């Protein structure tokens, strides 16, 4: 399913994209230039400040280049969850070195989107074996269109492709830590997984949670509002009040934050569905402001209330 046709290409480019992690956290405006949202994201990542945040035990988060990157250290070498943009390699390398001198040995992709996988090639060249859901490999292996970004991504080079894939779940052991990988089913895309460091009670949920902003939903590659809600429900069922939850974008949080995100999605979906059932057009639905109760917190970034309404409208 493509994005609603009544949203112009320029408006789409101005509202649907999202920045590198640090820019998102700082809420600095980032608007797509005439060449589109993808080049704009890459350019932002090239100059973004890369920050490192210790989380728990031997796990840290590197923020600032695309999605949040989790880092597990230990005798088996560094294991990374997500890869950021390739243009951020100098900053990411410096951040990883600041944690410790362990070599990079493993990389897990939470899904296929470029802000989470563009760094795959250089990380593989540094020694990382890549693991992901089978749909991540499938999407990266061929030219893939994201209508919401008006961009077709070429097939990734061989070194960027996950060598180890799975269909529903996988358990691995690295650095004296049990790591459970689980496929959500179609959610934000059709390739989303969580990465659960069970011994540390830390879970990286990728773009099934955006902390503090309305999420982008990629209908072009299997995402939907209902899938996004189902993934949020799965996250809530998997965590406790003590679990540290790493989102794809935004600050690290916990169960109450994920619950607030889920509640927002459910409420807005109900509002939009009711208006659409009445026969309202997309423009009429946007004019009715079905997101109004949530805009002060969630609608202050690039995925505007109008754009998020359009994303929900496309799926109800």
């Amino acid at each position: 399913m493509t994005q609603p046709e009544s949203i112009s290409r320029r408006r789409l480019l101005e509202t649907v994209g999202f920045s590198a992690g640090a820019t998102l956290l700082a809420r600095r405006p980032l608007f797509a230039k005439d060449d589109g949202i993808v080049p704009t994201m890459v350019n932002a990542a090239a100059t973004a400040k890369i920050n490192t945040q210790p989380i728990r035990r031997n796990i840290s988060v590197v923020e600032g280049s695309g999605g949040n990157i989790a880092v597990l250290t230990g005798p088996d070498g560094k294991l990374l969850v997500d890869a950021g943009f390739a243009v951020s390699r100098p900053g990411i390398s410096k951040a990883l070195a600041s944690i410790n001198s362990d070599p990079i040995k493993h990389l897990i992709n939470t899904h296929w989107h470029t802000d989470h996988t563009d760094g795959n090639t250089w990380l593989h060249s540094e020694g990382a074996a890549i693991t992901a859901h089978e749909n991540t490999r499938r999407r990266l292996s061929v030219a893939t269109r994201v209508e919401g970004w008006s961009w077709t991504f070429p097939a990734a080079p061989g070194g960027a492709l996950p060598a180890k894939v799975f269909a529903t779940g996988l358990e691995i052991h690295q650095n004296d830590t049990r790591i459970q990988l689980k496929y959500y089913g179609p959610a934000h895309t059709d390739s989303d997984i969580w990465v659960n460091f069970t011994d540390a009670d830390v879970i990286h949920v990728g773009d099934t949670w955006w902390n503090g902003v309305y999420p982008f939903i990629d209908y072009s590659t299997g995402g939907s509002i209902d899938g996004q809600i189902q993934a949020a429900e799965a996250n809530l069922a998997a965590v406790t009040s003590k679990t540290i939850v790493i989102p794809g974008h935004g600050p690290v949080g916990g169960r109450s934050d994920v619950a607030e995100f889920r509640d927002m999605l459910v409420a807005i979906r109900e509002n939009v569905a009711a208006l659409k059932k009445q026969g309202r057009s997309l423009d009429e639905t946007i004019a009715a402001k079905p997101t109004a109760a949530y805009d002060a917190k969630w609608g202050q970034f690039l995925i505007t209330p109008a754009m998020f309404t359009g994303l929900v409208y496309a799926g109800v």
Side-chain angles (χ1 to χ4, degrees):
M1 182 182 298
T2 59
Q3 306 300 328
E5 292 181 356
S6 57
I7 299 178
S8 71
R9 181 178 184 277
R10 180 173 183 81
R11 182 180 172 196
L12 187 65
L13 291 174
E14 289 178 346
T15 58
V16 78
F18 50 89
S19 75
T23 307
L24 190 153
L25 291 171
R27 295 294 204 281
R28 296 204 312 266
L30 172 67
F31 295 99
K33 300 176 183 177
D34 291 340
D35 52 1
I37 188 61
V38 173
T40 301
M41 288 193 295
V42 173
N43 291 336
T47 58
K49 182 179 179 181
I50 308 299
N51 298 308
T52 303
Q53 177 186 359
I55 297 298
R56 180 180 284 165
R57 290 182 27 163
N58 54 335
I59 300 171
S60 300
V61 172
V62 173
E63 307 162 328
S65 176
N68 290 324
I69 299 170
V71 183
L72 174 74
T73 61
D76 299 321
K78 289 189 178 79
L79 179 147
L80 274 61
V81 179
D82 284 340
F85 283 106
V87 293
S88 301
R89 179 175 181 173
I92 293 173
S93 296
K94 184 177 180 181
L96 294 175
S98 74
I99 297 172
N100 63 29
S101 60
D102 293 347
I104 301 167
K105 290 295 185 180
H106 305 277
L107 170 63
I108 300 169
N109 294 143
T110 60
H111 64 292
W112 80 271
H113 275 163
T114 189
D115 56 318
H116 299 259
T117 62
D118 191 50
N120 279 17
T121 299
W122 80 262
L123 287 166
H124 177 69
S125 73
E126 291 283 328
I130 306 175
T131 301
H133 187 261
E134 60 189 11
N135 286 344
T136 292
R137 180 180 175 91
R138 179 170 65 89
R139 295 293 184 185
L140 293 176
S141 297
V142 298
T144 301
R145 178 77 173 174
V146 177
E147 291 293 344
W149 297 337
S150 295
W151 195 268
T152 300
F153 294 90
L161 299 178
K164 186 173 186 177
V165 298
F166 63 95
T168 57
L170 179 69
E171 184 171 304
I172 61 179
H173 294 261
Q174 298 290 334
N175 297 323
D176 300 318
T177 300
R178 183 176 66 159
I179 306 166
Q180 292 181 334
L181 313 183
K182 184 176 179 180
Y183 178 50
Y184 288 99
H188 164 72
T189 68
D190 64 4
S191 61
D192 301 284
I193 66 169
W194 76 37
V195 182
N196 191 354
F197 302 94
T198 59
D199 299 324
D201 200 13
V202 173
I203 186 170
H204 194 316
V205 298
D207 280 4
T208 67
W209 178 35
W210 298 51
N211 192 2
V213 296
Y214 290 136
F216 174 61
I217 302 170
D218 186 4
Y219 285 88
S220 297
T221 63
S224 70
I225 180 60
D226 288 342
Q228 192 88 49
I229 290 171
Q230 289 166 8
E233 295 282 7
N235 290 336
L236 283 173
V239 305
T240 72
S241 61
K242 296 181 179 179
T243 306
I244 294 175
V245 187
I246 303 170
H249 300 272
V252 171
R255 192 179 193 280
S256 62
D257 304 303
V258 177
E260 185 180 11
F261 178 73
R262 185 275 314 273
D263 293 346
M264 176 272 294
L265 295 177
V266 170
I268 292 176
R269 187 206 182 282
E270 290 177 351
N271 292 345
V272 172
L275 291 166
K276 190 172 184 179
K277 188 175 181 180
Q278 294 171 12
R280 307 275 188 109
S281 68
L282 173 60
D283 288 339
E284 289 170 338
T285 300
I286 291 172
K289 301 185 182 300
T291 65
Y294 300 92
D295 291 345
K297 175 172 181 176
W298 302 90
Q300 302 303 309
F301 198 58
L302 288 182
I303 301 179
T304 64
M307 188 59 227
F308 188 60
T309 299
L311 290 170
V312 176
Y313 189 94
V316 298

PDB file of all heavy atoms in Angstrom, residues 112 133-144 153-158 160-162 165:
ATOM      1  N   TRP A 112      15.376  -3.645   8.221  1.00  0.00           N
ATOM      2  CA  TRP A 112      16.186  -3.388   7.032  1.00  0.00           C
ATOM      3  C   TRP A 112      16.444  -1.922   6.730  1.00  0.00           C
ATOM      4  O   TRP A 112      17.342  -1.602   5.937  1.00  0.00           O
ATOM      5  CB  TRP A 112      15.522  -4.026   5.808  1.00  0.00           C
ATOM      6  CG  TRP A 112      14.392  -3.222   5.213  1.00  0.00           C
ATOM      7  CD1 TRP A 112      13.076  -3.278   5.545  1.00  0.00           C
ATOM      8  CD2 TRP A 112      14.495  -2.231   4.180  1.00  0.00           C
ATOM      9  NE1 TRP A 112      12.348  -2.388   4.797  1.00  0.00           N
ATOM     10  CE2 TRP A 112      13.192  -1.727   3.940  1.00  0.00           C
ATOM     11  CE3 TRP A 112      15.560  -1.717   3.436  1.00  0.00           C
ATOM     12  CZ2 TRP A 112      12.930  -0.739   2.997  1.00  0.00           C
ATOM     13  CZ3 TRP A 112      15.298  -0.726   2.485  1.00  0.00           C
ATOM     14  CH2 TRP A 112      13.998  -0.248   2.270  1.00  0.00           C
ATOM     15  N   HIS A 133      16.615 -10.858  10.682  1.00  0.00           N
ATOM     16  CA  HIS A 133      15.483 -11.626  10.179  1.00  0.00           C
ATOM     17  C   HIS A 133      15.651 -11.864   8.679  1.00  0.00           C
ATOM     18  O   HIS A 133      16.268 -11.063   7.972  1.00  0.00           O
ATOM     19  CB  HIS A 133      14.180 -10.883  10.449  1.00  0.00           C
ATOM     20  CG  HIS A 133      12.973 -11.683  10.103  1.00  0.00           C
ATOM     21  ND1 HIS A 133      12.294 -11.517   8.912  1.00  0.00           N
ATOM     22  CD2 HIS A 133      12.340 -12.681  10.773  1.00  0.00           C
ATOM     23  CE1 HIS A 133      11.284 -12.371   8.863  1.00  0.00           C
ATOM     24  NE2 HIS A 133      11.288 -13.090   9.983  1.00  0.00           N
ATOM     25  N   GLU A 134      15.060 -12.932   8.190  1.00  0.00           N
ATOM     26  CA  GLU A 134      15.208 -13.290   6.788  1.00  0.00           C
ATOM     27  C   GLU A 134      14.657 -12.205   5.856  1.00  0.00           C
ATOM     28  O   GLU A 134      15.166 -12.013   4.740  1.00  0.00           O
ATOM     29  CB  GLU A 134      14.530 -14.626   6.496  1.00  0.00           C
ATOM     30  CG  GLU A 134      13.044 -14.666   6.789  1.00  0.00           C
ATOM     31  CD  GLU A 134      12.456 -16.064   6.687  1.00  0.00           C
ATOM     32  OE1 GLU A 134      13.238 -17.039   6.596  1.00  0.00           O
ATOM     33  OE2 GLU A 134      11.203 -16.184   6.694  1.00  0.00           O
ATOM     34  N   ASN A 135      13.662 -11.454   6.306  1.00  0.00           N
ATOM     35  CA  ASN A 135      13.131 -10.390   5.459  1.00  0.00           C
ATOM     36  C   ASN A 135      14.070  -9.198   5.361  1.00  0.00           C
ATOM     37  O   ASN A 135      14.032  -8.452   4.377  1.00  0.00           O
ATOM     38  CB  ASN A 135      11.758  -9.938   5.957  1.00  0.00           C
ATOM     39  CG  ASN A 135      10.676 -10.941   5.636  1.00  0.00           C
ATOM     40  OD1 ASN A 135      10.862 -11.825   4.810  1.00  0.00           O
ATOM     41  ND2 ASN A 135       9.530 -10.818   6.284  1.00  0.00           N
ATOM     42  N   THR A 136      14.917  -8.997   6.365  1.00  0.00           N
ATOM     43  CA  THR A 136      15.935  -7.958   6.256  1.00  0.00           C
ATOM     44  C   THR A 136      16.902  -8.300   5.134  1.00  0.00           C
ATOM     45  O   THR A 136      17.231  -7.454   4.291  1.00  0.00           O
ATOM     46  CB  THR A 136      16.684  -7.792   7.588  1.00  0.00           C
ATOM     47  OG1 THR A 136      15.790  -7.250   8.560  1.00  0.00           O
ATOM     48  CG2 THR A 136      17.876  -6.858   7.448  1.00  0.00           C
ATOM     49  N   ARG A 137      17.366  -9.535   5.103  1.00  0.00           N
ATOM     50  CA  ARG A 137      18.244  -9.945   4.012  1.00  0.00           C
ATOM     51  C   ARG A 137      17.521  -9.841   2.664  1.00  0.00           C
ATOM     52  O   ARG A 137      18.095  -9.366   1.677  1.00  0.00           O
ATOM     53  CB  ARG A 137      18.745 -11.374   4.226  1.00  0.00           C
ATOM     54  CG  ARG A 137      19.677 -11.840   3.106  1.00  0.00           C
ATOM     55  CD  ARG A 137      20.179 -13.264   3.312  1.00  0.00           C
ATOM     56  NE  ARG A 137      20.953 -13.678   2.158  1.00  0.00           N
ATOM     57  CZ  ARG A 137      22.266 -13.529   2.013  1.00  0.00           C
ATOM     58  NH1 ARG A 137      22.956 -12.960   2.981  1.00  0.00           N
ATOM     59  NH2 ARG A 137      22.878 -13.914   0.915  1.00  0.00           N
ATOM     60  N   ARG A 138      16.269 -10.235   2.624  1.00  0.00           N
ATOM     61  CA  ARG A 138      15.512 -10.186   1.371  1.00  0.00           C
ATOM     62  C   ARG A 138      15.364  -8.755   0.883  1.00  0.00           C
ATOM     63  O   ARG A 138      15.557  -8.477  -0.314  1.00  0.00           O
ATOM     64  CB  ARG A 138      14.132 -10.820   1.575  1.00  0.00           C
ATOM     65  CG  ARG A 138      13.247 -10.810   0.346  1.00  0.00           C
ATOM     66  CD  ARG A 138      12.012 -11.670   0.560  1.00  0.00           C
ATOM     67  NE  ARG A 138      11.140 -11.138   1.602  1.00  0.00           N
ATOM     68  CZ  ARG A 138      10.162 -10.261   1.375  1.00  0.00           C
ATOM     69  NH1 ARG A 138       9.955  -9.800   0.141  1.00  0.00           N
ATOM     70  NH2 ARG A 138       9.393  -9.841   2.360  1.00  0.00           N
ATOM     71  N   ARG A 139      15.044  -7.836   1.765  1.00  0.00           N
ATOM     72  CA  ARG A 139      14.885  -6.441   1.357  1.00  0.00           C
ATOM     73  C   ARG A 139      16.207  -5.820   0.918  1.00  0.00           C
ATOM     74  O   ARG A 139      16.261  -5.051  -0.048  1.00  0.00           O
ATOM     75  CB  ARG A 139      14.291  -5.623   2.509  1.00  0.00           C
ATOM     76  CG  ARG A 139      12.869  -6.009   2.908  1.00  0.00           C
ATOM     77  CD  ARG A 139      11.876  -5.698   1.825  1.00  0.00           C
ATOM     78  NE  ARG A 139      10.498  -5.985   2.260  1.00  0.00           N
ATOM     79  CZ  ARG A 139       9.451  -5.889   1.463  1.00  0.00           C
ATOM     80  NH1 ARG A 139       9.607  -5.538   0.189  1.00  0.00           N
ATOM     81  NH2 ARG A 139       8.243  -6.165   1.914  1.00  0.00           N
ATOM     82  N   LEU A 140      17.287  -6.139   1.636  1.00  0.00           N
ATOM     83  CA  LEU A 140      18.590  -5.579   1.285  1.00  0.00           C
ATOM     84  C   LEU A 140      19.173  -6.189   0.017  1.00  0.00           C
ATOM     85  O   LEU A 140      20.019  -5.569  -0.637  1.00  0.00           O
ATOM     86  CB  LEU A 140      19.581  -5.778   2.443  1.00  0.00           C
ATOM     87  CG  LEU A 140      19.298  -4.994   3.726  1.00  0.00           C
ATOM     88  CD1 LEU A 140      20.315  -5.382   4.804  1.00  0.00           C
ATOM     89  CD2 LEU A 140      19.345  -3.489   3.475  1.00  0.00           C
ATOM     90  N   SER A 141      18.714  -7.368  -0.348  1.00  0.00           N
ATOM     91  CA  SER A 141      19.299  -8.086  -1.490  1.00  0.00           C
ATOM     92  C   SER A 141      18.838  -7.550  -2.835  1.00  0.00           C
ATOM     93  O   SER A 141      19.465  -7.867  -3.866  1.00  0.00           O
ATOM     94  CB  SER A 141      18.958  -9.581  -1.401  1.00  0.00           C
ATOM     95  OG  SER A 141      19.531 -10.166  -0.251  1.00  0.00           O
ATOM     96  N   VAL A 142      17.760  -6.791  -2.848  1.00  0.00           N
ATOM     97  CA  VAL A 142      17.186  -6.299  -4.109  1.00  0.00           C
ATOM     98  C   VAL A 142      16.896  -4.803  -3.976  1.00  0.00           C
ATOM     99  O   VAL A 142      16.872  -4.251  -2.875  1.00  0.00           O
ATOM    100  CB  VAL A 142      15.889  -7.055  -4.460  1.00  0.00           C
ATOM    101  CG1 VAL A 142      16.164  -8.537  -4.660  1.00  0.00           C
ATOM    102  CG2 VAL A 142      14.822  -6.861  -3.376  1.00  0.00           C
ATOM    103  N   ALA A 143      16.670  -4.148  -5.112  1.00  0.00           N
ATOM    104  CA  ALA A 143      16.231  -2.758  -5.081  1.00  0.00           C
ATOM    105  C   ALA A 143      14.867  -2.686  -4.393  1.00  0.00           C
ATOM    106  O   ALA A 143      13.957  -3.432  -4.739  1.00  0.00           O
ATOM    107  CB  ALA A 143      16.147  -2.203  -6.489  1.00  0.00           C
ATOM    108  N   THR A 144      14.740  -1.806  -3.407  1.00  0.00           N
ATOM    109  CA  THR A 144      13.524  -1.739  -2.591  1.00  0.00           C
ATOM    110  C   THR A 144      13.043  -0.302  -2.495  1.00  0.00           C
ATOM    111  O   THR A 144      13.805   0.600  -2.145  1.00  0.00           O
ATOM    112  CB  THR A 144      13.786  -2.307  -1.184  1.00  0.00           C
ATOM    113  OG1 THR A 144      14.224  -3.662  -1.302  1.00  0.00           O
ATOM    114  CG2 THR A 144      12.528  -2.262  -0.339  1.00  0.00           C
ATOM    115  N   PHE A 153      15.958   2.180  -2.861  1.00  0.00           N
ATOM    116  CA  PHE A 153      17.288   1.796  -2.418  1.00  0.00           C
ATOM    117  C   PHE A 153      17.834   0.691  -3.322  1.00  0.00           C
ATOM    118  O   PHE A 153      17.148  -0.302  -3.567  1.00  0.00           O
ATOM    119  CB  PHE A 153      17.251   1.302  -0.968  1.00  0.00           C
ATOM    120  CG  PHE A 153      16.895   2.377   0.017  1.00  0.00           C
ATOM    121  CD1 PHE A 153      15.570   2.611   0.353  1.00  0.00           C
ATOM    122  CD2 PHE A 153      17.871   3.166   0.579  1.00  0.00           C
ATOM    123  CE1 PHE A 153      15.225   3.614   1.236  1.00  0.00           C
ATOM    124  CE2 PHE A 153      17.545   4.170   1.471  1.00  0.00           C
ATOM    125  CZ  PHE A 153      16.218   4.394   1.803  1.00  0.00           C
ATOM    126  N   PRO A 154      19.047   0.837  -3.824  1.00  0.00           N
ATOM    127  CA  PRO A 154      19.622  -0.239  -4.631  1.00  0.00           C
ATOM    128  C   PRO A 154      19.948  -1.438  -3.764  1.00  0.00           C
ATOM    129  O   PRO A 154      20.016  -1.336  -2.529  1.00  0.00           O
ATOM    130  CB  PRO A 154      20.896   0.394  -5.203  1.00  0.00           C
ATOM    131  CG  PRO A 154      21.287   1.426  -4.185  1.00  0.00           C
ATOM    132  CD  PRO A 154      19.978   1.966  -3.636  1.00  0.00           C
ATOM    133  N   ALA A 155      20.146  -2.573  -4.401  1.00  0.00           N
ATOM    134  CA  ALA A 155      20.574  -3.757  -3.658  1.00  0.00           C
ATOM    135  C   ALA A 155      21.884  -3.462  -2.929  1.00  0.00           C
ATOM    136  O   ALA A 155      22.778  -2.800  -3.456  1.00  0.00           O
ATOM    137  CB  ALA A 155      20.750  -4.931  -4.608  1.00  0.00           C
ATOM    138  N   ALA A 156      21.982  -3.925  -1.697  1.00  0.00           N
ATOM    139  CA  ALA A 156      23.181  -3.699  -0.891  1.00  0.00           C
ATOM    140  C   ALA A 156      24.319  -4.607  -1.361  1.00  0.00           C
ATOM    141  O   ALA A 156      24.076  -5.694  -1.898  1.00  0.00           O
ATOM    142  CB  ALA A 156      22.880  -3.964   0.582  1.00  0.00           C
ATOM    143  N   PRO A 157      25.564  -4.191  -1.172  1.00  0.00           N
ATOM    144  CA  PRO A 157      26.687  -5.070  -1.520  1.00  0.00           C
ATOM    145  C   PRO A 157      26.708  -6.311  -0.646  1.00  0.00           C
ATOM    146  O   PRO A 157      26.119  -6.328   0.448  1.00  0.00           O
ATOM    147  CB  PRO A 157      27.911  -4.180  -1.277  1.00  0.00           C
ATOM    148  CG  PRO A 157      27.454  -3.125  -0.326  1.00  0.00           C
ATOM    149  CD  PRO A 157      26.001  -2.896  -0.635  1.00  0.00           C
ATOM    150  N   GLY A 158      27.410  -7.335  -1.120  1.00  0.00           N
ATOM    151  CA  GLY A 158      27.397  -8.617  -0.416  1.00  0.00           C
ATOM    152  C   GLY A 158      27.821  -8.526   1.032  1.00  0.00           C
ATOM    153  O   GLY A 158      27.254  -9.209   1.894  1.00  0.00           O
ATOM    154  N   ALA A 160      27.244  -6.292   3.136  1.00  0.00           N
ATOM    155  CA  ALA A 160      26.227  -5.675   3.984  1.00  0.00           C
ATOM    156  C   ALA A 160      25.088  -6.613   4.312  1.00  0.00           C
ATOM    157  O   ALA A 160      24.258  -6.303   5.162  1.00  0.00           O
ATOM    158  CB  ALA A 160      25.674  -4.430   3.297  1.00  0.00           C
ATOM    159  N   LEU A 161      25.049  -7.768   3.649  1.00  0.00           N
ATOM    160  CA  LEU A 161      23.925  -8.688   3.830  1.00  0.00           C
ATOM    161  C   LEU A 161      24.121  -9.572   5.059  1.00  0.00           C
ATOM    162  O   LEU A 161      25.231 -10.066   5.298  1.00  0.00           O
ATOM    163  CB  LEU A 161      23.770  -9.571   2.593  1.00  0.00           C
ATOM    164  CG  LEU A 161      23.486  -8.852   1.285  1.00  0.00           C
ATOM    165  CD1 LEU A 161      23.404  -9.862   0.146  1.00  0.00           C
ATOM    166  CD2 LEU A 161      22.204  -8.026   1.374  1.00  0.00           C
ATOM    167  N   PRO A 162      23.074  -9.776   5.832  1.00  0.00           N
ATOM    168  CA  PRO A 162      23.180 -10.708   6.956  1.00  0.00           C
ATOM    169  C   PRO A 162      23.541 -12.105   6.464  1.00  0.00           C
ATOM    170  O   PRO A 162      22.906 -12.630   5.547  1.00  0.00           O
ATOM    171  CB  PRO A 162      21.785 -10.688   7.573  1.00  0.00           C
ATOM    172  CG  PRO A 162      21.183  -9.401   7.113  1.00  0.00           C
ATOM    173  CD  PRO A 162      21.744  -9.154   5.758  1.00  0.00           C
ATOM    174  N   VAL A 165      20.401 -15.733   9.176  1.00  0.00           N
ATOM    175  CA  VAL A 165      19.032 -15.231   9.253  1.00  0.00           C
ATOM    176  C   VAL A 165      18.144 -16.264   9.923  1.00  0.00           C
ATOM    177  O   VAL A 165      18.511 -17.432  10.055  1.00  0.00           O
ATOM    178  CB  VAL A 165      18.480 -14.879   7.854  1.00  0.00           C
ATOM    179  CG1 VAL A 165      19.298 -13.775   7.208  1.00  0.00           C
ATOM    180  CG2 VAL A 165      18.417 -16.110   6.966  1.00  0.00           C
TER     181      VAL A 165
END
